[in-house]
Structure formats: structure tokens, C-alpha cells
Amino acid sequence: MPVTLVKEKYPSKVGEVVLGATAAEGGTRTSVIRVGGDGTLPFLQFEGSVENRPIIAMEVTDIVPPWNDTIKEQFGDVLGNPVAMAKKCVEEFGADAIYLKLIGADPEGENRSPEQCAQVVKDVLAAVGVPLIVVGCEDPEKDNEVMAAVAEAAAGENLLIGLAEQDNYKSITAAAMVHKHNVIARSPLDINICKQLNILINEMGLPLNKIVIDPMIGGLGFGIEYAYSIMERARLGALAGDKMLSMPMICTVGYEANRAKEANVGAGEFPGWGELQDRGILWEAVTAAALLQVGASILLMRNPASVRLVQRNIADMMEQNA
Amino acid sequence: MIIIGERINGMFKDIGEALRNKDPKPFQHWALKQQEGGAHYLDVNSGPAVPTEERPEAYKWMVNVIQEVSDLPLCLDSTNYDAIEEGLKLCKRPAMINSCPAERAKIERVFPMAVQYNASLIGLTMDKKGIPKDAENRVAFAMELVAAADEFGLPMEELYIDPLILPVNVAQEHAPEVLESLRQIKTLANPAPRTVLGLSNVSQKSPDRHLINRTYLAMAMAVGLDAAIVDANDDALVDAAATAQILLNKSIYADSYLKVFRTR
């Protein structure tokens, strides 16, 4: 008896979002990146189209980041120099995009002005040709000012900017609409708030294909399974025709994975866990690999050694299996 | 839940007159208005407004004038299969055929036509002798329709079985039988056939029609109703459909779920 391959038929697909703009499109990027667009579960090319491979955007900070030494060592003297750091991520580590985190804006820290922040964005835009993802310092009031300045300074570059949240989405959405950028919609591990936020942003007039979902993942061992099931549910919703959940998903892998003790303490303290060097790399890589299986389109990563592993994982998963 | 708007029907005076006078305005008005209300399909029925021999031409005309203003797929409602076929030829999006009873001669005419035009098909659980009283006989007819889908190669998801609801004021005992039929129809095949009701029938000549309609709709959805031919501009009814869909976990909850149900 012959075996028939079971193929699911989905009535809809994930929306496609374009990041960046070339000179012809009013920007200065050397190429654009498309994410999303898939008509099937992740990597199941035998039953639907996998339009775009997931991408890795590497984390770059405007001031020296508070990361652990095993990661910092890999960057050497470029830390605190966002231009050199971004160049290294693209040229040496092969990042698809740059995830610029303006932590220097934090009122509790360096409290840099919106103009200073916008200048950093312009400098990084001048230094690399890949698309940029830009977020503030996670102080809601300050971020509203910072991101408005950034959006204006980078008009035409089609950035992906964040963060829009349920109780604070209007000003960043307005900035994105006026200056034609994309927005990250963040919800706290809650599919209902996720959907509602997309509706609210869309009601302001920002098209659905300018929104990316940030489900606020948990790292490996710290709630990743909640994120995993929510992302799976969103993906199934998108494939079933739920337009308000059909956006590509972005995951803050580097931040969440590297908050874990397992990614930070050495074998001296926890001999049973083995060497920190390997463990730290794998903690971030495994977090990323798991989320790729439920439809992550954009991975925001930090550790260059983890990035290398996940790049290989993506290449393997993208091999034709139809 | 698939809402099939019932308003474009020659039984309504404005549509009947417009069809006789070839006036596209009422057709286009109701197409847009029902779309706004939340309809996913537009039922199209000439009613008795034109003589049988003119119906194929009438369906061609109706399909064209409606498609001038609306992209919604159409549900071609007639017992005149030549009229339906003329309409199908012009439909820009896969249509629905309304309907075919469990009678062999009609099955042989209609099922291949549905396959040929990539259309969905509403199958009625009745034959020449009429509508059965109990669930058992309704389900027996449903099984014949399921077998016909298999025989003629109509995908099971394109078959909508209608267990035929009757007015509650004169045929009260049918209402629970129809619910039981809906439940059983969903077990007849895998994937299951879909189900549909001409919902407004349940409240014919009763007071508070809207209340009866939406209450029965929620009850029927709980036992597996996939689609209903209804008044798409009955906001309370569309709200009930959206809410039942949320309570059945068929679409993901968001605070604006009533609005989302109406957008596409």
C-alpha cells in the first residue's frame, strides 16, 4: 500500500513586511529585507510556500552595554562605538540587520537627548547598508521623544521601530506613519492583548504589513514554553485567516537568553553545569532554535558565537524538503 | 461562522421589481449594505419575479450587476439549474450553489456542476417526499449527500449540508431534531462536511423574529453549524455569531472581537 503524504491546506498566510529602503525607494540601504509571507508552518515546504528565511539582527548599543565578558571579549574595542560595532556585526559576523538599542537615552543613566540619539542612528545608517531596527531605552516617556526624533531623522529609511505597547502605542505609531517606518507591537506573553494591540495600531491607519509582533519571549528555562505556544497559536491563526495575527514575529533572544544565570556564571560556581563558554553560547542559540520552530521571523541576537550556530541552523532548515 | 446575506431575493418587493425593470440599484445597494453588515457570501435568488424560461438570463444579469460593486462570493439560489449554471460561468470568485436535495437525478446534475465550476454546494436533507421529521432520517439523507461528494469528487469541505429548519410556531418539534442532526452530520466523514441553515425560517410569522433567530443561531453553532443564510444587517444577530465563535474558541479573543468579525 502506498503511503500518501499528509498535507495541510491553509486558506491564508503570514503577511510580508519589508525592512529598509534602497536609493530608488527613498532610502540609502544597499538592499531591503523581506520577512514573513509564509503559507505554511515553519519550514514545511512540502505543504506550502516558505517565502523568506528568518533573519538575524545583531544587537548594537549606543554606549558600552552591560553584557558579560564572554560576549564582550568577542567585540573587543568597538564596544561603546556603535558605528564600529555595527560594521563588525555586518562585515565580520554576517548580521542580516542591525538592532540598535539606544540604552544611552535612559534618564536614570546617561540621559542622552533625542537629538543625540537620532545622530547615532544617522551615523549607523551611514556606516552599514543593511536595514535597521531601532528601539529606545524602555522608559516610555523618554522613548516617545527619542523615537519621534529618530523616525524623523531617518525618514525614508523604512526602519523597524519600537516599542508600541497596549498603553503606549499612539505616539510611536504616529511617528511611523508620518515618516513611513514599520512598528514593533509588543505584548506581554498574551495572545489576546497581542491581537488587540494590532487592531488598535491598525485603527490609527498604519497598514497591517507595517507591523511586527513582539510576543515578549522568555529565554530557555525561564518561560520559553509560554512564548513557544503563543507563537504557535499566532502562526496557526495567521494561516487560518486571522488578519490581526498575521504579522511576522520578532524575538528578543539575546536579551532574554543572557539574563539567565546559566548564561553568566562559570563552572567554578556551578561545577555541574560545565564550562560557561559553551553553555552561554548554547543558551542563546537553543533559545533561538526553538523559536524558529514556531515561526520567528526576526531574531534579535547578541553573542557572535551563538549567531554563527543559528545561521547554520537556519541554512539547514531552509533546505528544500518538498 | 460564514454569514450568507439573504436579502437579494425576488420575494422582497424591491428586488422583485428591480429585476423586472432591470434596475441594478437595489441589487447594488443590498450587496454593499450586507457586506458592511458582515456578510461573507451574498445569496442571489430571483424569486418568482421572472418566468422560469427567463431565469438563466436573469441570473446572468444579477451576477453581473452585483459583481460591479462587490467582491463577495455569491450563493446562487434557485431550483433552476440552468439558471445557476449561467450564473456560475460569470462568477469571479468561487461561488456556492443553493441547493441540491438528496434525489439521484438532481445529484447527478448538480454535483458535477459544482466540481466543474469550483463551487461549494448546499445539500438538503430531503427528497421528493419532503422534509423528514426526525434527526435519524435527516442524517440518512445527509449520508447520501456525503457519498455523492465522494463519488463526484467534490471536496468534503465544499459540501454544506442543510438539515432544514422549520418555523418554530408550527413545527416546534423540528428545532431540537435539527440540532441533533447538525451534531451527527459532523461525524459522517473526515474531514467533516460543513453545515448550513436557512436560519430565518425558524421564526417565520412569529413575533420577536430577531430574538428567535439569534438564539437558535448560537444553539446551532454549539453543535457544529458552519454557515447560515441570514439577515446580515441584523446587528444583534451578527454580534451573537461573533460571540459564539469566540466562546467556541474558533477565533482568538481580542477586546474588539465584534468589530474584527465584520472586517476582512
Side-chain angles (χ1 to χ4, degrees), chain B:
Chain B
M1 186 65 201
I2 298 167
I3 302 279
I4 304 166
E6 69 187 5
R7 188 57 177 72
I8 301 178
N9 187 318
M11 298 285 275
F12 289 100
K13 208 171 149 215
D14 58 346
I15 294 291
E17 268 173 28
L19 185 55
R20 274 189 295 274
N21 303 332
K22 291 280 180 287
D23 171 13
K25 277 195 216 84
F27 286 87
Q28 299 179 340
H29 166 77
W30 282 111
L32 291 173
K33 194 168 160 70
Q34 292 184 98
Q35 178 166 347
E36 203 177 297
H40 302 98
Y41 279 83
L42 300 172
D43 195 72
V44 181
N45 187 329
S46 68
V50 293
T52 313
E53 64 278 9
E54 287 173 30
R55 284 194 192 151
E57 280 308 311
Y59 274 76
K60 276 160 79 170
W61 181 82
M62 290 192 291
V63 167
N64 279 331
V65 299
I66 293 167
Q67 288 190 147
E68 271 175 32
V69 298
S70 174
D71 289 333
L72 287 186
L74 305 179
C75 177
L76 300 175
D77 186 354
S78 178
T79 48
N80 182 330
Y81 297 130
D82 295 332
I84 286 186
E85 182 150 23
E86 288 308 313
L88 285 175
K89 287 178 188 166
L90 297 171
C91 283
K92 290 179 189 156
R93 297 185 59 184
M96 197 180 281
I97 298 170
N98 185 9
S99 55
C100 179
E103 290 171 35
R104 190 62 201 176
K106 291 182 177 172
I107 285 173
E108 284 175 8
R109 168 76 174 100
V110 183
F111 276 72
M113 180 163 75
V115 173
Q116 184 185 345
Y117 294 97
N118 199 18
S120 304
L121 171 60
I122 296 177
L124 309 176
T125 62
M126 64 180 285
D127 65 1
K128 283 186 191 126
K129 285 179 239 142
I131 298 173
K133 202 162 192 176
D134 55 9
E136 212 167 70
N137 286 306
R138 280 182 163 91
V139 174
F141 283 132
M143 194 61 223
E144 284 181 39
L145 295 162
V146 164
D150 236 8
E151 179 185 348
F152 293 99
L154 181 72
M156 212 51 75
E157 302 97 316
E158 305 296 342
L159 176 63
Y160 288 75
I161 295 179
D162 182 349
L164 295 162
I165 185 64
L166 295 173
V168 68
N169 58 350
V170 295
Q172 192 174 2
E173 65 281 13
H174 280 260
E177 295 296 327
V178 166
L179 294 179
E180 181 54 29
S181 308
L182 287 168
R183 195 196 306 273
Q184 290 186 28
I185 287 165
K186 296 306 279 187
T187 68
L188 291 182
N190 185 14
R194 292 193 175 168
T195 53
V196 63
L197 282 177
L199 190 78
S200 307
N201 231 6
V202 72
S203 61
Q204 284 287 354
K205 302 230 159 60
S206 294
D208 292 326
R209 290 199 65 180
H210 292 309
L211 174 63
I212 295 172
N213 289 348
R214 67 177 179 266
T215 304
Y216 198 67
L217 178 70
M219 293 168 75
M221 285 177 71
V223 290
L225 185 70
D226 297 304
I229 305 170
V230 297
D231 175 357
N233 297 106
D234 177 350
D235 281 340
L237 178 125
V238 176
D239 284 353
T243 307
Q245 180 134 319
I246 290 290
L247 294 173
L248 290 165
N249 194 22
K250 295 215 170 178
S251 50
I252 292 174
Y253 177 85
D255 290 346
S256 306
Y257 73 89
L258 291 179
K259 188 173 177 190
V260 172
F261 185 77
R262 291 174 168 84
T263 54
R264 58 195 126 251

